[in-house]
Amino acid sequence: MNRPLDDRRVWMLSVAGGLTMFLVQPPSDLWILAWLAPLPWLAIVEARGIAAGRPWRAIWAGGFLHWLLTIHWLRLPHPATSIGWVALSLYLACFVPLFVWVARGLVHRWGWPLAAAAPLAWVACEHLRGSLFGGFTFANLGHTQWRSPMLIQAADLCGAVGVSGLVMLVAAAVLSRSMRQATAAACVMIAALAYGAWRLAEEPRPTGRPLDVLLVQGSIDTELKHEPAAAADVARHYDELTVAGLRATPDDPPDLIAWPETMWRWSLLEIDPAETLPESVVEQMLGSDAPEVAGAAEADRQRRCREALEAERLAVLAAYARRYATNWLVGVDRQEITPSVPSGARNFNCGLFLDATGTPLARYDKMHPVLFGEYIPLANRFPWLYRLTPLPAGLTAGTRPVAVSIAGHRVAVTICYETALPGAVRTLVRELERERVRPDVIVNLTNDGWFWGSSELDMHLTAAIFRAVEVRTPLLVAANTGFSAWIDGCGRLLARGPRRSTATLRAGVEPDGRGSLWLVWGSLPAWGCVMVAGGMMVAGRWRDSGSRRHAA
């Protein structure tokens, strides 16, 4: 494109790019067009000159339109989240002009071919978006290709952003109209597909009995979550689905039942020994007229009361586990009463394993709460901040991953948005591998009832598919309102539950156990793109300022 772009053309290309990049994502999901969707924004990159007065404002507006449409579901959980929807869209839109600026600098200042500059700049921006402020990785360009198992195997080299780079490479080669760039792009794509074919062909063969898991998907819209009276209805709903799933194969019970995040609505309770319980609570639990209790030391009465309160919360869970007569992984909140924090309590989002006798086997506390969605910065020191938000309280982050042996297979847990964080899942697998308990399967417990069956469900599932490939570990999803899923270590979707409806899925999971370069070096290649892009931009500015001084 030789003519400088005027204001009108910059606006047209910016808005057109925002729309085409939206249409290839759910809910439209025109995924096959993703190879051409970046063309309007790439046309701005390729243009030799921009005569528009304020081009970056137009480019940012195109990005804002894209994200406002793409993450429209963020307005659904609560009226106040509409503010977050707009604010997050405003922030994410900044990465579009950043991409154009970096790519234009590489092309026009340094003479890079478009098919090299655009993928590097895009990978750098996508990686920054997925890393800063906790990261937002939904709607990556590469996510559109989840239906192409051969292509997405490359994710175990450079992560999902690497697949995004491949899609951008093809789009840039198309726009360049250069045979040399088209040939280079074709060679890269052939290599990626050949690698994918090899990885699919060398998938481990089954060597033993698979892990038999019953995934229970209820359909409870999460407006009920903070209604205490609804807890019994939710438990009854999931219990009926579970019993129906067990009765479908009475002679072949599963090794493990999985309920989604927080679908057991009565919180577990732990009380710090340093916490002094009110005498009225102690008398209510222990009684005031039993001689052996009344004559006991105060410290012993406090201990007895703590144990009774904690056991009371667990007893009902244990009764359900005994009815199911198999291992059970259930999503549940946990509250720790302690005088060591200003609020007087810590709250955790947990996955609890129980065996067939109702005995707890292990508990995983969610390690990566969502910023502003599950906690407010500094609110642990200033609890009154929560009164300014819809959140009743914030979550405390867990400190370590957990793997439990079930029927000879090691099972690890993630909760909710953690499957959208490539680094979090990689860290989980690596830490457990160092403890010699690398998981054979990861079970994600999630409650997507917040989003009323919207395209958030599709984006969440796609993220899980890429995590399975990156760490070469089968991944199961137990999701309230969907999508529950069974994904193998090659990222193939073997079973999926319905949207905003109920289902029980039986998964016979075979371990994968292969290594991957992603597990070795993680996001190092993506950070390399960030460093190259940043270094070239700084060097270009330095060179330009030197040229101006020399001319003066």
Side-chain angles (χ1 to χ4, degrees):
M1 186 177 292
N2 295 320
R3 281 190 304 161
L5 297 178
D6 58 20
D7 277 310
R8 184 177 65 85
R9 294 174 69 196
V10 171
W11 274 98
M12 288 177 58
L13 290 170
S14 299
V15 171
L19 291 174
T20 56
M21 292 289 277
F22 160 68
L23 290 173
V24 301
Q25 299 286 351
S28 300
D29 207 13
L30 303 177
W31 65 275
I32 198 67
L33 300 180
W35 303 91
L36 302 176
L39 290 181
W41 289 345
L42 287 173
I44 303 175
V45 172
E46 189 195 39
R48 291 199 174 278
I50 297 180
R54 296 179 178 177
W56 303 114
R57 182 171 62 180
I59 298 167
W60 175 87
F64 178 60
L65 174 65
H66 164 68
W67 283 110
L68 204 64
L69 295 172
T70 300
I71 60 171
H72 70 95
W73 40 263
L74 198 55
R75 62 191 166 81
L76 299 174
H78 188 277
T81 62
S82 293
I83 300 172
W85 168 48
V86 175
L88 184 58
S89 298
L90 291 170
Y91 161 69
L92 295 175
C94 297
F95 290 98
V96 179
L98 179 63
F99 159 69
V100 172
W101 178 66
V102 171
R104 279 187 61 82
L106 294 175
V107 170
H108 299 292
R109 182 177 285 125
W110 292 103
W112 283 35
L114 183 65
L120 183 140
W122 188 264
V123 168
C125 291
E126 251 194 21
H127 180 61
L128 285 174
R129 170 164 67 85
S131 302
L132 300 177
F133 309 114
F136 186 84
T137 63
F138 281 178
N140 279 7
L141 183 58
H143 285 177
T144 60
Q145 303 305 305
W146 67 267
R147 299 171 181 83
S148 305
M150 194 178 298
L151 179 65
I152 69 172
Q153 301 311 302
D156 81 345
L157 298 174
C158 301
V161 296
V163 180
S164 297
L166 292 174
V167 178
M168 183 60 72
L169 167 67
V170 172
V174 169
L175 186 67
S176 72
R177 299 175 297 279
S178 162
M179 183 58 67
R180 180 176 297 180
Q181 294 188 51
T183 302
C187 290
V188 172
M189 288 301 299
I190 290 171
L193 293 172
Y195 176 79
W198 169 62
R199 286 301 254 171
L200 290 171
E202 55 107 44
E203 181 184 14
R205 296 185 179 276
T207 57
R209 180 177 174 274
L211 179 69
D212 188 359
V213 182
L214 176 68
L215 301 172
V216 183
Q217 176 181 312
S219 186
I220 300 288
D221 291 326
T222 312
E223 63 177 355
L224 301 176
K225 183 172 182 180
H226 300 302
E227 296 180 15
D233 293 335
V234 174
R236 187 180 307 109
H237 177 73
Y238 269 87
D239 178 59
E240 290 172 354
L241 289 170
T242 303
V243 171
L246 293 172
R247 286 176 177 169
T249 56
D251 298 325
D252 184 24
D255 301 313
L256 177 67
I257 297 167
W259 281 23
E261 173 192 19
T262 63
M263 287 301 104
W264 186 265
R265 296 293 175 83
W266 296 286
S267 299
L268 298 178
L269 185 65
E270 291 189 11
I271 304 173
D272 188 337
E275 176 76 18
T276 300
L277 299 171
E279 183 60 28
S280 59
V281 174
V282 176
E283 288 188 5
Q284 181 180 358
M285 294 302 299
L286 303 182
S288 57
D289 54 353
E292 70 278 7
V293 174
E298 178 61 26
D300 185 58
R301 284 168 54 80
Q302 288 281 326
R303 177 186 60 79
R304 287 170 179 257
C305 185
R306 285 196 305 271
E307 292 175 353
L309 287 168
E310 294 171 356
E312 183 180 53
R313 298 291 183 94
L314 188 59
V316 184
L317 265 173
Y320 275 70
R322 288 191 291 271
R323 285 181 59 234
Y324 302 149
T326 190
N327 300 291
W328 183 26
L329 170 59
V330 57
V332 60
D333 289 325
R334 178 173 70 90
Q335 187 174 59
E336 179 185 335
I337 306 299
T338 175
S340 64
V341 295
S343 64
R346 295 189 183 99
N347 299 285
F348 299 85
N349 188 348
C350 307
L352 178 68
F353 288 91
L354 300 103
D355 67 13
T357 69
T359 303
L361 298 174
R363 185 193 68 239
Y364 169 72
D365 297 330
K366 185 178 182 180
M367 297 173 64
H368 304 276
V370 178
L371 179 66
F372 296 114
E374 293 177 318
Y375 77 99
I376 304 298
L378 301 179
N380 59 332
R381 296 178 61 89
F382 306 105
W384 56 267
L385 288 172
Y386 283 109
R387 294 199 294 271
L388 307 178
T389 76
L391 296 176
L395 290 184
T396 300
T399 57
R400 57 182 296 272
V402 168
V404 175
S405 181
I406 303 289
H409 298 274
R410 292 183 292 270
V411 182
V413 188
T414 63
I415 295 177
C416 195
Y417 188 68
E418 289 181 320
T419 50
L421 302 175
V425 177
R426 173 178 176 265
T427 299
L428 176 146
V429 173
R430 283 172 59 86
E431 286 191 13
L432 293 175
E433 192 169 34
R434 281 195 292 268
E435 297 173 11
R436 300 183 183 276
V437 287
R438 174 175 171 169
D440 297 312
V441 59
I442 299 170
V443 182
N444 176 250
L445 310 180
T446 189
N447 176 12
D448 281 344
W450 297 101
F451 303 107
W452 299 73
S454 68
S455 52
E456 188 276 344
L457 277 61
D458 305 81
M459 294 180 185
H460 204 168
L461 176 59
T462 301
I465 289 172
F466 276 83
R467 299 299 85 79
V469 177
E470 289 164 355
V471 299
R472 292 297 174 190
T473 305
L475 201 150
L476 302 177
V477 181
N480 179 49
T481 74
F483 293 120
S484 296
W486 171 16
I487 305 161
D488 71 8
C490 291
R492 290 174 296 213
L493 184 60
L494 304 180
R496 177 173 66 179
R499 186 188 304 272
R500 207 179 176 194
S501 187
T502 63
T504 53
L505 304 182
R506 272 306 264 276
V509 184
E510 299 282 358
D512 189 304
R514 289 175 289 173
S516 74
L517 285 175
W518 169 258
L519 281 171
V520 174
W521 61 35
S523 56
L524 187 61
W527 280 117
C529 291
V530 173
M531 296 300 292
V532 170
M536 296 296 281
M537 292 300 99
V538 171
R541 287 286 185 179
W542 183 273
R543 189 176 70 172
D544 289 349
S545 62
S547 299
R548 286 193 294 271
R549 286 195 302 269
H550 181 72

